Amino acid sequence: MTAFAVEKLGRVPYQQAWDYQKQVHAEVVAGSRPPTLLLLEHPRTITLGRAAKPEHLLLSEAQYRAMGIELFQVERGGDVTYHGPGQLVGYPIFPVGRQVRGFLRRLEQAILLVAASYGIPAYPSPGYAGVWVRRKAPVEGWPDLEEKLCAFGVAVRQDVALHGFALNVNTHLDDFNLIVPCGIKDKGVTSLQRILGHPLSMEEVMERVVVAFAQVFPTFAKELV
């Protein structure tokens, strides 16, 4: 039994999920609902966080929409990111008080545990939020490539978190070429599928995420609030 509720929502349009997040957030703030982890996928979507720069969008809004990609300006931290089928999005609507940095570190720990469960030596970066892996350079003598496996972006309102993480499972990675992901030009993006060489069951990955979150967030004791 976990210290939080889990809802698996399937593939949900971004606006619908955003509205539902706000509803769950209000209920967690009011104490009428326990801390809740929402797990879902989105159709092809680009979101811009509070630090987003227009130049990190490589096409016009009209061009994105012509490709079936919706754009949203949202209240989370961070820059521009992409969501799409095959990417597991998690919204931990958890009470965090003023411990935002500590909360982000815990989110990283949870995803690192998921990566480790697949034998992947992922790591956090002190300079960039997220979970990263290193890929051997294609040419001998070149530096290894750093690639982001999971992106993070949160907001905290009334001491309870919104938004969360985006873990690339079977994501179509070419769509990241339509933006400058998270505003970082000199690093790449990867997925569990690319690293392991085969597609994964989203249900299995979700189960591993829930197990990892239960380890990292075993209780919501006073020090977390």
Side-chain angles (χ1 to χ4, degrees):
M1 181 151 179
T2 62
F4 51 89
V6 178
E7 291 190 26
K8 298 173 183 175
L9 304 178
R11 189 172 298 172
V12 183
Y14 192 87
Q15 183 68 59
Q16 181 181 332
W18 194 11
D19 291 342
Y20 187 57
Q21 262 199 93
K22 293 171 187 173
Q23 175 189 326
V24 173
H25 178 270
E27 291 170 0
V28 173
V29 168
S32 59
R33 171 194 281 267
T36 300
L37 174 61
L38 305 177
L39 295 173
L40 62 151
E41 296 177 68
H42 290 305
R44 297 169 80 203
T45 305
I46 290 169
T47 65
L48 296 86
R50 295 191 306 273
K53 295 192 167 117
E55 61 266 29
H56 295 158
L57 293 174
L58 301 181
L59 302 174
S60 70
E61 185 170 341
Q63 287 173 307
Y64 286 121
R65 295 198 186 281
M67 298 170 69
I69 300 174
E70 290 197 282
L71 275 72
F72 292 90
Q73 185 88 42
V74 296
E75 67 268 55
R76 65 162 172 82
D79 206 299
V80 177
T81 198
Y82 168 81
H83 300 304
Q87 182 189 73
L88 177 59
V89 176
Y91 296 132
I93 316 297
F94 289 179
V96 299
R98 299 176 184 273
Q99 307 301 316
V100 182
R101 195 175 296 274
F103 176 60
L104 282 168
R105 297 293 82 81
R106 285 177 186 245
L107 293 183
E108 287 177 346
Q109 288 172 34
I111 301 303
L112 290 170
L113 287 172
V114 174
S117 76
Y118 286 104
I120 298 170
Y123 57 91
S125 169
Y128 302 101
V131 166
W132 301 80
V133 295
R134 204 173 291 279
R135 183 160 63 96
K136 190 167 178 54
V139 177
E140 191 174 345
W142 287 13
D144 288 346
L145 306 172
E146 275 196 304
E147 296 180 322
K148 184 178 276 191
L149 176 63
C150 185
F152 297 93
V154 301
V156 176
R157 299 288 183 270
Q158 295 176 275
D159 293 337
V160 174
L162 282 163
H163 300 283
F165 68 87
L167 172 62
N168 293 319
V169 179
N170 305 312
T171 318
H172 184 61
L173 296 175
D174 285 349
D175 277 348
F176 284 98
N177 295 328
L178 302 173
I179 60 172
V180 179
C182 302
I184 303 169
K185 297 180 179 178
D186 60 345
K187 299 183 190 296
V189 179
T190 193
S191 67
L192 293 175
Q193 180 181 14
R194 175 185 275 180
I195 296 166
L196 298 174
H198 59 82
L200 285 83
S201 157
M202 189 65 81
E203 183 64 35
E204 178 193 273
V205 177
M206 284 193 287
E207 288 305 317
R208 295 194 188 203
V209 165
V210 172
V211 169
F213 267 73
Q215 289 179 252
V216 174
F217 296 96
T219 63
F220 284 86
K222 238 181 204 178
E223 61 267 20
L224 286 177
V225 182

